[in-house]
Amino acid sequence: PPPPPPPLPSEPPSEAAPAPDVSVSASVPSAPSFGVIVPPPEIRAVVHKTALFVSKNGRAFEAKILASTQGQAGGKFAFMDPGASPFYAYYEKRIRFYEEGGTDEAEAAEKRRRAE
């Protein structure tokens, strides 16, 4: 009999050829991530601080911030709006970074090490 046809793109890859690992480690937030726009430094500082507090205090803390800033379009916490901010994905990624044990100090040390 003839060999079977190749799998269609919608079929999962066979186990004979493992898919390449394209994941981005949360411990290396400086690694490029498709679809994640890094905010400018002045916004990034607020994103980092807010993400750190949300990672420690939970989404209830986030809800309090959102409630207190409701109706303030373009305000200090505009990055928390998934429907309007290009920085929302970065904010969510940063929360995961902190939840997984990442620290700003370790990240800065890693960047300095790479620059040497």
Side-chain angles (χ1 to χ4, degrees), residues 3-94:
L8 296 175
S10 62
E11 293 180 12
S14 70
E15 293 192 335
D21 182 13
V22 294
S23 63
V24 175
S25 171
S27 65
V28 186
S30 59
S33 295
F34 296 104
V36 176
I37 300 171
V38 178
E42 62 277 3
I43 296 173
R44 193 175 328 138
V46 177
V47 170
H48 286 198
K49 184 71 77 175
T50 305
L52 177 61
F53 281 113
V54 170
S55 72
K56 288 182 178 182
N57 302 311
R59 294 293 178 157
F61 179 77
E62 179 183 60
K64 288 180 184 180
I65 294 172
L66 291 171
S68 71
T69 61
Q70 194 170 19
Q72 298 177 13
K76 182 178 179 180
F77 298 102
F79 61 86
M80 296 173 77
D81 184 348
S85 176
F87 308 127
Y88 181 77
Y90 182 84
Y91 165 65
E92 285 293 328
K93 180 180 174 189
R94 200 67 191 186

